[in-house]
């Protein structure tokens, strides 16, 4: 198990307000499996972790978002905490960073409120997934099939509901990250984007003229 992810690089995208255990436990599991793991953030020094409604510890940032190329990473982790993804999803650089993993089919693991940023990156349409219950309507409105399960996998996307699901989340995350890039998902995303572009270019249908 220790060498399962040897040679793989994983980005953990987070900012102030991240649910600390949803960042630290997946990071530990990834490092124990042999991966190189970086905390990537719009902040440049540390981010403030939270334990539910209380401040926890400052967490060092390894790579400032504005200086890092997503191409260097093989997989992405999106921890939750209400404040954290609510800030990331309105940050264009953060959304573009996440979109790289969506469009290339690289595996993504998102827990609790983490999928909020995936919505902005158009990464949930047609996907079977879970989250913290308050995101259910947002995800369904964005085209996801939301289910209430401790961990859900869908072609490289791993999602869980809350910190109590972390053991199952981390196990599935390691499995999916070991499998690597999902070509089918990348092709499906590309086809959907092309279809949307063609639909946008199509002239609007003319309504038939009805004489009086």
């Amino acid at each position: 198990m220790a060498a399962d992810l040897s040679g793989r690089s994983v980005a953990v995208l987070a900012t102030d307000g991240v649910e600390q255990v949803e960042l630290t436990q997946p990071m530990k599991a990834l490092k124990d499996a042999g991966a190189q793991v970086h905390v990537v953030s719009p902040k440049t020094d540390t981010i403030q972790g939270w334990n539910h409604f209380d401040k926890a510890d400052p967490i060092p940032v390894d790579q400032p978002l504005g200086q890092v190329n997503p191409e260097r990473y093989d997989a992405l982790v999106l921890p939750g905490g209400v404040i954290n993804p609510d800030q990331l999803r309105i940050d264009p650089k953060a959304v573009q960073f996440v979109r790289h993993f969506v469009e290339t089919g690289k595996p993504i693991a998102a827990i609790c409120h983490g999928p909020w940023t995936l919505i902005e990156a158009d990464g949930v349409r047609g996907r079977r997934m879970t989250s913290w219950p308050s995101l259910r309507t947002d995800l369904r409105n964005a085209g996801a099939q939301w289910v209430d399960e401790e961990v859900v996998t869908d072609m490289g996307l791993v999602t869980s509901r809350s910190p109590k699901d972390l053991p199952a989340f981390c196990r599935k995350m390691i499995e999916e990250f070991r499998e690597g890039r999902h070509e089918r998902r990348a092709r499906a995303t590309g086809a959907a984007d092309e279809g949307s572009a063609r639909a946008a270019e199509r002239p609007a249908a003319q309504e038939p003229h009805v004489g009086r």
Side-chain angles (χ1 to χ4, degrees), residues 116-138:
W116 251 345
T117 315
L118 270 176
I119 292 174
E120 296 302 321
D122 197 20
V124 307
R125 191 166 21 128
R127 312 306 295 277
R128 186 174 183 273
M129 60 191 300
T130 193
S131 68
W132 185 255
S134 64
L135 273 65
R136 175 179 53 207
T137 300
D138 289 348

Side-chain angles (χ1 to χ4, degrees), residues 138-151:
D138 289 348
L139 288 166
R140 284 176 172 166
N141 287 343
Q145 179 191 348
W146 190 91
V147 294
D148 184 13
E149 297 176 14
E150 79 172 349
V151 63

Side-chain angles (χ1 to χ4, degrees), residues 38-196:
H38 290 157
V39 174
V40 177
S41 178
K43 304 286 292 288
T44 57
D45 187 13
T46 62
I47 57 176
Q48 180 62 56
W50 282 73
N51 179 17
H52 300 298
F53 300 109
D54 302 315
K55 279 189 178 181
D57 302 320
I59 300 166
V61 171
D62 299 305
Q63 295 289 336
L65 180 61
Q67 300 173 22
V68 70
N69 187 341
E71 293 280 356
R72 69 180 291 184
Y73 296 107
D74 302 297
L76 173 67
V77 178
L78 295 171
V82 179
I83 303 169
N84 162 54
D86 201 39
Q87 294 184 80
L88 292 176
R89 65 181 178 154
I90 59 171
D91 183 325
K93 288 181 180 177
V95 173
Q96 189 57 41
F97 188 85
V98 174
R99 187 173 286 124
H100 164 81
F101 294 86
V102 172
E103 293 178 348
T104 57
K106 293 179 181 179
I108 300 170
I111 187 168
C112 200
H113 291 78
W116 251 345
T117 315
L118 270 176
I119 292 174
E120 296 302 321
D122 197 20
V124 307
R125 191 166 21 128
R127 312 306 295 277
R128 186 174 183 273
M129 60 191 300
T130 193
S131 68
W132 185 255
S134 64
L135 273 65
R136 175 179 53 207
T137 300
D138 289 348
L139 288 166
R140 284 176 172 166
N141 287 343
Q145 179 191 348
W146 190 91
V147 294
D148 184 13
E149 297 176 14
E150 79 172 349
V151 63
V152 180
T153 58
D154 184 340
M155 285 186 2
L157 176 63
V158 181
T159 51
S160 282
R161 302 166 299 186
S162 72
K164 69 185 172 92
D165 298 330
L166 275 166
F169 177 75
C170 289
R171 283 194 301 271
K172 283 295 183 184
M173 173 186 68
I174 298 295
E175 288 178 18
E176 291 296 320
F177 286 11
R178 185 172 61 238
E179 289 181 15
R181 187 171 182 264
H182 280 245
E183 296 287 345
R184 249 179 76 202
R185 193 180 89 193
R187 287 199 299 271
T189 301
D193 290 344
E194 287 173 14
S196 297

